[in-house]
Amino acid sequence: MSNHNMRKLAFVLSTGPGSITDLSGKSVLIHSMDTVPQEKIEKKSNLLLESLLPNNNNNEKSQLFWFKEKSESQSENLYVSIRSEIFPKNHICTKCRRVFDYSDYRIKRRDDPISLIDIIRGINQNIQENNKFNNKKLGRIDYVFCLFCSDEKIIKNAQVNFRDPNFQSSLIEFHKKVIKMQPFRHVGICDKGHIFDIDLFFHTHINNKSCDSRTDLTIDRSYKKLICKACNQEADIKEILYRGKFHKQRYQWLHKQDTQEECDSLNIQTALRGDKKVWYPINRTGLKLLDEKILNGKEEIKNQIDKLYSDVVRSNGNPNVLKKQIETNYLKEIDKFIALYYAKERSTSDKKLWIDISESDIRKVEYELLTEKNSTENDNSYEIINEVSLLNSELSNFIKKITRIDKLELDFTIIGLNRLGSELFDHGQKPPEAIPITVLDRYPMVKINIEGFFIKFDAEQFALWSKKNSEYIENLENSLFENLQRKKNIVISDDKSDLIEFYLLHSISHYLMSKLAFTSGYNVMSLRERLYFFPGVRGIMIHTTDGDEEGSMGGIAFNSSIPRMEKLFNELYPSLRQCSNDPTCLHDRPKGNNSNFAACYACLVLPETSCEFMNSYLDRNTLIGNGKDNKPSGFFSNYTHKEI
């Protein structure tokens, strides 16, 4: 095991616990935050985000932690040292084409008692002692080298005692001249979360189990066939990858959980180590709009929830009944959230009910706070928000409020992972269960200071538009509902009008991001949407995805002014009237898991990092359609005074 530096945001979003990532000349498995020493982290609070953490098995609350700042340099603080191990264990020599598990103690030269893994550990131990003794920083061996192609003399020289005066020069020569091996391309995975090496030797010798020469297994340069030079047994790699016989695996990335266990999964597959189905994170995000001070003076709500909780436990113990009563008893979203927060705390302590707070609950609170705030500005605060006046603007026909966000904290965490599926790709099926990424109930949090704007659309105008297109909506394919992604931060009813309104809102968001890429100073991959879609609620936040301690350049917030916003919507028709992929794009219909109508990479489809819904549910006809040829009438037809 070793440490390597990675960006904090990447640890949460793209290469987190349980993932495989390629570094220079090696492939590593990232360990959990459980392996990070306590002195290197500190507890942080984001009330909205903290409420989304899973219920744990202890009586203590799950907690958010972030990495302590190392220095005054902001650039250095973007990175953190994370524990990792070389994975997969199977490696291929680029010279002799041998393939073997380097951690196997049977991998050694003939008549040599020391195995490859013992040699690597012995040299690293010498390096560690030398660094302590001479106060030097000699590099560890964090790669795999071929024991059979590398010069034996060079290896012997590197194994001398660290006090030897030639140790440092021998080590430098070792790093330069040994033959480094490449990691095997495939790994085994299952939906329970296990990840493991494929036993290539076992599968090659199914018909000759008497052979024990593990150092003579080779792979041809076409990566199609395994050949044992000792017994001449051959095996087709494709057959091995689809044979699917694996057992006794472990969760290597979790702290204090290295014991092997029988894998009882019925869904075991092999995959390329960089494939998305090997690791898909379950992330949660929350704006820093609330802190724990909001709970002060809310003892009345706490007492009400304690009584309500006890009544539900005595009657039938159904958590849905409790949530429904909270929805009925409290009008303001902030009060509903506080009630749910206290109910979840109570359920964590006595474990008689399991109360979960969903992302849609959090989005409702965010929406209420963003729409109620007029202006806040404090240099020492985490937010600088200002309302933009819509007086005498045509935008007021369909927009109720625009909020300029000069600085706001957005926090990310990872609460689990999926293999062989994800909560985004569950078309018509039950979402896969989250695989835990921690045994200590601590979850890594990363904050970024964003800037952007928030638009509150007139939900009544959306409803009038969908009513105008009632005939088109009635003819929509039922399969769109069957494949509807179970994304938990929006609420779409079974009413087809709801679905087409979501198409409209999502398409507006993508149009704005594509235009802002030309006017804000950011490329489109640096922008992200945050949608608010609930009964009577239609809202969009466009914000940056990265920023320093002071925020960012202000290019997105600058575009929230009325003249700039009017320009964006005035250019909507000429920008979307024609696509370079027309007429194919214009007349496209959903097929299979694709839920898009008229949308492609030349018009509305953006990089996946910018979209909350993986580029699903888009249709430019909802913006500027003509209502003919089985297309809806565009929402902005009257505003632009033009139609396709």
Side-chain angles (χ1 to χ4, degrees):
M1 296 184 189
S2 61
N3 288 7
H4 83 272
N5 290 334
M6 66 188 304
R7 287 179 68 93
K8 295 177 182 177
L9 199 60
F11 182 64
V12 171
L13 297 180
S14 57
T15 52
S19 69
I20 299 177
T21 183
D22 283 340
L23 302 176
S24 55
K26 62 181 177 180
S27 173
V28 298
L29 178 68
I30 306 298
H31 284 212
S32 167
M33 197 171 177
D34 295 342
T35 61
V36 179
Q38 187 72 32
E39 62 270 13
K40 292 188 178 181
I41 59 176
E42 59 182 317
K43 184 181 181 300
K44 283 294 173 182
S45 176
N46 177 332
L47 202 62
L48 293 177
L49 189 57
E50 195 173 312
S51 65
L52 294 173
L53 298 181
N55 288 307
N56 58 33
N57 296 320
N58 306 315
N59 288 332
E60 299 179 358
K61 287 169 53 179
S62 299
Q63 292 183 325
L64 289 169
F65 286 83
W66 74 343
F67 303 97
K68 287 183 178 178
E69 306 297 308
K70 295 186 294 184
S71 68
E72 295 181 0
S73 169
Q74 181 63 22
S75 59
E76 288 185 27
N77 291 330
L78 291 173
Y79 293 86
V80 64
S81 181
I82 295 296
R83 197 85 165 159
S84 64
E85 66 177 80
I86 296 175
F87 193 87
K89 307 295 186 188
N90 289 329
H91 276 67
I92 304 169
C93 176
T94 55
K95 186 176 180 181
C96 68
R97 306 303 296 172
R98 278 185 172 88
V99 54
F100 51 75
D101 178 346
Y102 85 94
S103 64
D104 191 334
Y105 285 93
R106 290 167 289 190
I107 303 302
K108 59 181 75 173
R109 281 196 176 98
R110 287 180 173 82
D111 303 323
D112 192 338
I114 304 178
S115 65
L116 174 60
I117 188 65
D118 282 331
I119 291 173
I120 293 175
R121 286 175 177 169
I123 296 175
N124 280 334
Q125 182 66 30
N126 275 345
I127 293 171
Q128 185 177 350
E129 295 297 328
N130 179 80
N131 290 343
K132 290 179 183 177
F133 185 73
N134 294 324
N135 197 23
K136 293 182 179 179
K137 294 295 180 184
L138 298 178
R140 288 170 49 89
I141 300 175
D142 56 357
Y143 53 83
V144 179
F145 62 91
C146 182
L147 190 61
F148 308 95
C149 294
S150 301
D151 191 315
E152 186 175 0
K153 183 179 178 182
I154 293 174
I155 298 174
K156 293 291 184 184
N157 289 342
Q159 290 178 271
V160 299
N161 191 284
F162 72 91
R163 295 178 185 271
D164 191 299
N166 296 320
F167 177 70
Q168 185 173 350
S169 58
S170 298
L171 188 62
I172 293 172
E173 185 183 24
F174 176 89
H175 284 307
K176 286 181 179 179
K177 295 188 177 181
V178 292
I179 306 299
K180 296 180 181 178
M181 302 182 75
Q182 297 296 321
F184 193 68
R185 295 177 188 173
H186 290 79
V187 294
I189 51 176
C190 78
D191 56 0
K192 297 291 182 69
H194 296 111
I195 185 168
F196 40 89
D197 282 281
I198 303 160
D199 193 338
L200 301 174
F201 184 85
F202 169 81
H203 287 291
T204 304
H205 292 85
I206 284 181
N207 298 323
N208 183 16
K209 295 183 180 179
S210 61
C211 180
D212 63 352
S213 181
R214 291 182 173 267
T215 59
D216 289 314
L217 188 64
T218 61
I219 187 170
D220 67 350
R221 294 194 178 275
S222 63
Y223 205 83
K224 292 181 179 179
K225 190 177 291 186
L226 287 168
I227 306 165
C228 178
K229 291 186 176 180
C231 65
N232 295 322
Q233 287 289 317
E234 295 185 2
D236 187 274
I237 289 182
K238 187 180 289 187
E239 288 184 12
I240 291 175
L241 295 180
Y242 292 103
R243 192 166 286 160
K245 185 178 180 181
F246 311 104
H247 58 278
K248 287 188 178 180
Q249 310 310 329
R250 62 193 180 106
Y251 301 98
Q252 299 99 316
W253 68 91
L254 288 180
H255 184 55
K256 296 180 181 177
Q257 202 162 334
D258 291 331
T259 55
Q260 290 191 335
E261 57 184 35
E262 290 287 343
C263 178
D264 59 354
S265 172
L266 300 177
N267 189 8
I268 299 176
Q269 299 180 22
T270 58
L272 289 169
R273 61 178 189 270
D275 198 314
K276 268 189 177 179
K277 67 181 181 180
V278 171
W279 184 83
Y280 198 95
I282 301 176
N283 295 120
R284 297 293 180 258
T285 62
L287 295 172
K288 181 85 173 186
L289 291 167
L290 289 179
D291 55 29
E292 291 183 347
K293 293 178 183 176
I294 195 71
L295 299 177
N296 295 338
K298 300 293 183 179
E299 286 79 10
E300 184 180 349
I301 294 180
K302 188 176 188 303
N303 295 334
Q304 291 170 352
I305 292 303
D306 283 340
K307 183 178 183 304
L308 199 57
Y309 183 93
S310 301
D311 291 343
V312 172
V313 169
R314 279 195 300 269
S315 58
N316 58 9
N318 189 338
N320 292 327
V321 172
L322 180 59
K323 291 192 78 171
K324 191 171 182 179
Q325 290 195 30
I326 289 173
E327 284 279 332
T328 306
N329 294 349
Y330 300 96
L331 298 177
K332 291 177 68 67
E333 294 297 339
I334 184 66
D335 291 337
K336 290 179 187 176
F337 167 73
I338 292 171
L340 285 170
Y341 183 85
Y342 283 134
K344 184 175 181 180
E345 274 197 331
R346 177 73 183 270
S347 72
T348 303
S349 61
D350 66 12
K351 295 181 172 56
K352 292 179 180 176
L353 287 179
W354 289 108
I355 303 297
D356 286 319
I357 300 177
S358 68
E359 279 195 277
S360 61
D361 296 325
I362 300 304
R363 291 289 173 100
K364 289 175 183 177
V365 178
E366 290 181 357
Y367 180 84
E368 184 176 277
L369 292 171
L370 286 168
T371 51
E372 286 185 356
K373 284 180 182 291
N374 292 324
S375 294
T376 63
E377 185 164 357
N378 186 339
D379 292 339
N380 299 320
S381 179
Y382 43 75
E383 61 181 58
I384 303 174
I385 298 174
N386 294 284
E387 183 180 0
V388 178
S389 174
L390 285 166
L391 191 64
N392 300 324
S393 171
E394 282 189 57
L395 296 175
S396 60
N397 293 331
F398 53 89
I399 293 178
K400 283 197 166 183
K401 185 172 185 177
I402 299 177
T403 304
R404 172 181 173 136
I405 302 171
D406 290 292
K407 182 181 178 182
L408 187 61
E409 183 179 315
L410 177 62
D411 297 328
F412 297 83
T413 190
I414 176 172
I415 64 168
L417 62 94
N418 289 135
R419 300 206 195 279
L420 301 176
S422 80
E423 60 182 2
L424 269 178
F425 298 106
D426 67 327
H427 302 286
Q429 302 173 10
K430 183 181 177 182
E433 290 186 12
I435 298 163
I437 54 120
T438 174
V439 295
L440 300 180
D441 295 318
R442 62 189 196 189
Y443 298 86
M445 187 190 91
V446 177
K447 69 169 186 175
I448 62 172
N449 290 314
I450 63 171
E451 53 106 348
F453 57 77
F454 166 77
I455 301 176
K456 176 184 178 181
F457 288 96
D458 190 339
E460 292 182 3
Q461 292 298 319
F462 271 60
L464 289 172
W465 171 79
S466 61
K467 188 175 181 181
K468 179 181 176 181
N469 288 286
S470 57
E471 186 177 342
Y472 166 79
I473 293 171
E474 190 62 32
N475 295 325
L476 279 177
E477 294 90 334
N478 291 326
S479 61
L480 292 175
F481 287 91
E482 294 171 6
N483 291 337
L484 187 62
Q485 296 166 323
R486 291 179 176 84
K487 185 73 173 171
K488 298 177 182 176
N489 55 15
I490 61 167
V491 178
I492 299 179
S493 70
D494 293 335
D495 188 350
K496 287 185 178 181
S497 298
D498 246 22
L499 180 62
I500 198 64
E501 288 181 32
F502 180 71
Y503 268 97
L504 171 61
L505 186 73
H506 196 200
S507 300
I508 294 172
S509 174
H510 275 236
Y511 163 73
L512 290 174
M513 284 191 286
S514 65
K515 293 297 289 184
L516 288 168
F518 294 98
T519 61
S520 64
Y522 293 98
N523 63 54
V524 72
M525 289 184 290
S526 298
L527 304 180
R528 189 169 174 82
E529 67 186 0
R530 198 167 179 82
L531 301 184
Y532 299 87
F533 191 93
F534 314 108
V537 169
R538 306 290 183 261
I540 292 173
M541 177 191 285
I542 307 293
H543 62 84
T544 53
T545 57
D546 207 350
D548 60 21
E549 193 64 30
E550 298 303 320
S552 42
M553 296 185 293
I556 305 297
F558 173 72
N559 278 276
S560 65
S561 65
I562 294 303
R564 307 285 298 185
M565 196 62 70
E566 285 179 339
K567 187 173 186 295
L568 284 171
F569 282 102
N570 280 327
E571 291 177 352
L572 187 147
Y573 171 76
S575 298
L576 297 179
R577 181 183 66 86
Q578 211 165 19
C579 170
S580 59
N581 288 327
D582 281 343
T584 304
C585 175
L586 184 64
H587 299 291
D588 200 10
R589 306 287 293 181
K591 301 180 189 70
N593 288 337
N594 175 31
S595 58
N596 291 338
F597 285 85
C600 69
Y601 280 99
C603 52
L604 287 182
V605 176
L606 301 177
E608 290 182 355
T609 52
S610 300
C611 179
E612 283 196 295
F613 296 89
M614 305 296 286
N615 284 312
S616 301
Y617 304 101
L618 296 168
D619 182 9
R620 61 190 170 103
N621 285 322
T622 60
L623 304 176
I624 51 174
N626 60 8
K628 303 173 184 177
D629 302 324
N630 200 22
K631 296 185 186 66
S633 176
F635 182 80
F636 293 99
S637 295
N638 293 332
Y639 181 75
T640 59
H641 304 292
K642 292 181 183 286
E643 293 182 345
I644 292 181

